[in-house]
């Protein structure tokens, strides 16, 4: 049946209705917003006819759709239900709290509590509340790992430097099947106390602190720990300025000890690499104010023994600010990284020395810095060899070839050494 004819037929049928019945039908179809008057009656009847025909059309479509759905294959319906169930299971897995990132909070001290949380905002709130107790937070991929960690450790162990397996996700260090120690960060009072005792040359106290926590010497980024803000003095600066050779020896002994550094870095290779790096940094890092290295401070104050100790290391830069110049770009200008006076350690020798024999002391320091120190080795066998041999002289910057000297000294020969 043609649509236009159907509308006309429906309009004729509606026009025969009473005004009351027509108003009720208009209200039912949502067309009662326009008043039913003589001028609007034909328009409303036409809209009402279209509305009724549309409803009837939709009903027929719904009926045909229902019949088509009933005629679908049962196998397709079963597959649809199966896919829907899989989607629900996947969504349930994703929403499960057990597989979210979980955080373990360790609060040391008398509380000694270790708890697991999944809400990061809650974690931050708890950490802030217990800030004075130096709490520690560790993150884990799921609840099971967090609970396993919690059952194996206590808060005091973790915060004081417990040995933690590197397989945990919070560990960033690359450890070759070994273990590393988590050492807590230091507070400002702890650093100040350590610096004061180091300047007083309290070696037993400082050694105990360093052994308990290497962070007294090794700070963030594997750099020397800053003991004094502003000037940015590290332990070597503080030791040299206070004039204590024993403190300097303690620092270099600890950063040269690979076994000691393995506690922090885990492997032999990483410990050796960082040991060489720390030696270089402690010997050659300038301060922030005057841009002076420890050798500058020792030289200008006439500390012969400390100068001799510093230059005995091959990594020590003796001509700092003369050949080692760093250009820094700041805006349109360039600045060279030099001391305030732009002088080398040799040039500032005894410039702030007030002790006896300044000329002699200055000559000794210059001689040391200029590689004037010479060593003559005496090679002696651990066995009952009949004689010893005096080796060739050498300096710290010209390494001694001990192996070749030993071979020459103890290899059987008929020649007579005139030096013996």
């Amino acid at each position: 049946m043609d649509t236009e004819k159907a509308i006309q037929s429906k309009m004729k049928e509606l026009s025969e209705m009473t005004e009351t019945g027509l108003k009720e039908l208009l209200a039912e179809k949502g067309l009662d917003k326009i008043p039913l008057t003589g001028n609007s009656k034909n328009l409303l009847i036409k809209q009402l006819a279209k509305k009724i025909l549309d409803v009837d059309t939709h009903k027929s479509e719904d009926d045909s759709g229902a019949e088509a759905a009933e005629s679908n294959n049962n196998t397709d319906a079963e597959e649809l239900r199966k896919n829907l169930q899989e989607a629900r299971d996947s969504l349930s897995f994703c929403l499960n709290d057990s597989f979210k990132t979980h955080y373990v909070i360790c609060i040391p001290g008398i509380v000694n509590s270790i708890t697991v949380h999944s809400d990061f905002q809650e974690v931050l709130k708890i950490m802030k509340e217990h800030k004075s107790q130096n709490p520690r937070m560790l993150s884990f991929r799921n609840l099971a790992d967090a609970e396993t960690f919690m059952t194996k450790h206590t808060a005091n162990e973790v915060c004081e430097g417990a040995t933690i397996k590197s397989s945990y996700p919070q560990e960033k260090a690359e450890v070759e099947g070994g273990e590393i120690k988590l050492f807590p960060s230091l507070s400002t009072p702890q650093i100040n106390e350590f610096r004061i005792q180091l300047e007083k040359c309290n070696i037993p106290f400082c050694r105990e602190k360093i052994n308990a926590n290497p962070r007294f010497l090794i700070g963030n980024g594997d750099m020397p720990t800053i003991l004094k803000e502003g000037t940015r003095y590290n332990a070597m600066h503080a030791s040299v300025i206070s004039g204590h050779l024993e403190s300097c020896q303690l620092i270099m002994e600890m950063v040269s000890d690979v076994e000691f550094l393995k506690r922090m870095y885990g492997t032999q290779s990483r410990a050796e690499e960082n040991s060489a790096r720390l030696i270089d940094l402690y010997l050659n890092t300038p301060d922030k104010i005057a841009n002076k290295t420890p050798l500058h401070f020792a030289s200008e104050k006439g500390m012969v023994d400390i100068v001799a100790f510093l230059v005995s290391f091959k990594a020590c830069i003796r001509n700092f600010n003369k050949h080692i110049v760093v250009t820094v770009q700041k805006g349109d200008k360039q600045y060279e990284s030099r001391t305030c006076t732009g002088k080398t350690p040799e040039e500032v020798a005894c410039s702030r020395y007030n002790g006896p024999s300044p000329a002699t002391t200055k000559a000794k320091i210059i001689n040391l810095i200029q590689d004037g120190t010479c060593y003559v080795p005496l090679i002696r066998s651990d066995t009952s060899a009949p004689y010893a041999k005096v080796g060739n002289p050498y300096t710290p910057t010209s390494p001694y070839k001990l192996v070749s000297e030993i071979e020459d000294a103890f290899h059987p020969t008929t020649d007579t050494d005139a030096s013996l």
Side-chain angles (χ1 to χ4, degrees):
M1 186 178 182
D2 189 52
T3 305
E4 191 65 24
K5 290 182 179 180
I7 293 175
Q8 293 295 332
S9 176
K10 197 67 176 177
M11 288 178 63
K12 185 178 180 180
E13 180 182 345
L14 293 173
S15 61
E16 295 176 356
M17 294 179 62
T18 62
E19 185 174 346
T20 304
L22 190 59
K23 285 183 178 180
E24 291 177 357
L25 193 57
L26 288 171
E28 182 182 345
K29 299 299 181 182
L31 299 174
D32 57 341
K33 294 182 180 180
I34 301 175
L36 183 61
T37 63
N39 296 329
S40 62
K41 184 176 181 179
N42 290 334
L43 177 62
L44 290 173
I45 289 176
K46 187 174 183 179
Q47 290 183 357
L48 183 59
K50 290 181 178 180
K51 201 83 170 176
I52 294 173
L53 290 175
D54 286 341
V55 171
D56 293 338
T57 303
H58 289 316
K59 283 185 178 180
S60 61
E61 290 178 355
D62 292 342
D63 293 341
S64 61
E67 292 175 358
E70 291 177 359
S71 63
N72 282 339
N73 196 315
N74 292 333
T75 305
D76 295 339
E78 184 66 25
E79 184 178 354
L80 181 62
R81 284 193 293 270
K82 183 179 179 181
N83 293 337
L84 182 60
Q85 185 62 36
E86 290 179 356
R88 288 174 178 171
D89 294 341
S90 177
L91 181 61
S92 176
F93 177 84
C94 295
L95 296 177
N96 192 342
D97 287 343
S98 300
F99 297 94
K100 291 182 179 179
T101 300
H102 283 71
Y103 306 92
V104 172
I105 299 179
C106 304
I107 304 175
I110 300 176
V111 180
N112 192 23
S113 69
I114 181 168
T115 55
V116 179
H117 304 269
S118 60
D119 186 359
F120 187 67
Q121 296 299 325
E122 181 183 358
V123 170
L124 294 179
K125 183 178 179 181
I126 296 174
M127 294 287 287
K128 187 175 181 180
E129 290 176 355
H130 299 274
K131 183 178 180 180
S132 60
Q133 296 170 286
N134 295 322
R136 182 152 193 173
M137 180 196 72
L138 302 98
S139 61
F140 296 86
R141 293 191 183 97
N142 51 58
L143 179 61
D145 289 349
E147 290 179 343
T148 302
F149 178 87
M150 187 175 63
T151 56
K152 292 183 178 180
H153 301 87
T154 64
N156 287 333
E157 287 178 353
V158 175
C159 295
E160 292 175 3
T163 301
I164 307 299
K165 287 286 185 180
S166 61
S167 58
Y168 286 105
Q170 77 277 4
E171 282 303 334
K172 304 299 181 184
E174 298 177 2
V175 181
E176 299 171 0
E179 294 182 349
I180 63 177
K181 294 197 72 175
L182 300 178
F183 294 100
S185 58
L186 303 175
S187 62
T188 302
Q190 289 176 316
I191 293 176
N192 290 337
E193 181 187 16
F194 176 77
R195 176 179 56 81
I196 292 171
Q197 296 301 322
L198 189 67
E199 291 173 345
K200 292 181 178 179
C201 200
N202 189 348
I203 301 302
F205 175 87
C206 295
R207 186 183 295 275
E208 180 183 355
K209 289 293 184 181
I210 295 171
N211 283 323
N213 191 346
R215 293 197 179 278
F216 280 102
L217 293 182
I218 307 171
N220 295 332
D222 297 330
M223 299 289 288
T225 301
I226 301 301
L227 301 186
K228 192 172 184 179
E229 296 294 339
T231 56
R232 297 190 68 79
Y233 287 161
N234 58 40
M236 185 60 74
H237 291 126
S239 300
V240 172
I241 292 174
S242 61
H244 295 300
L245 175 62
E246 294 82 359
S247 297
C248 300
Q249 291 172 338
L250 173 64
I251 296 166
M252 300 309 295
E253 174 191 344
M254 301 307 292
V255 298
S256 302
D257 189 353
V258 176
E259 292 300 322
F260 166 74
L261 295 178
K262 280 177 66 176
R263 297 168 53 201
M264 190 161 186
Y265 296 110
T267 63
Q268 181 79 12
S269 59
R270 293 189 71 231
E272 291 176 354
E273 178 184 350
N274 283 282
S275 175
R277 183 168 174 270
L278 287 168
I279 289 173
D280 175 53
L281 290 172
Y282 268 109
L283 289 173
N284 303 312
T285 300
D287 73 310
K288 186 178 180 180
I289 302 300
N291 204 33
K292 295 179 181 179
T293 64
L295 186 58
H296 277 92
F297 288 113
S299 176
E300 67 183 8
K301 290 188 175 183
M303 302 174 183
V304 179
D305 53 349
I306 295 181
V307 171
F309 174 72
L310 294 176
V311 298
S312 67
F313 290 89
K314 188 177 180 180
C316 182
I317 300 176
R318 304 171 183 228
N319 55 355
F320 188 89
N321 295 330
K322 190 170 185 179
H323 298 294
I324 309 299
V325 179
V326 180
T327 303
V328 181
Q329 184 76 29
K330 291 185 178 180
D332 298 333
K333 298 182 179 180
Q334 288 186 346
Y335 300 88
E336 290 185 345
S337 178
R338 294 179 177 270
T339 61
C340 293
T341 58
K343 295 181 179 180
T344 64
E346 178 184 343
E347 293 169 341
V348 299
C350 291
S351 59
R352 298 175 61 188
Y353 176 66
N354 297 322
S357 305
T360 304
T361 304
K362 182 177 181 179
K364 289 181 179 179
I365 290 176
I366 293 176
N367 186 49
L368 289 168
I369 295 176
Q370 289 180 346
D371 200 13
T373 305
C374 182
Y375 299 91
V376 179
L378 178 64
I379 304 172
R380 192 189 307 274
S381 174
D382 292 337
T383 61
S384 57
Y387 61 89
K389 180 179 178 179
V390 178
N392 295 325
Y394 72 97
T395 61
T397 56
S398 301
Y400 182 57
K401 297 181 180 179
L402 181 61
V403 176
S404 60
E405 289 286 351
I406 292 176
E407 291 176 351
D408 293 341
F410 298 105
H411 192 278
T413 179
T414 57
D415 295 337
T416 303
D417 194 332
S419 63
L420 297 178

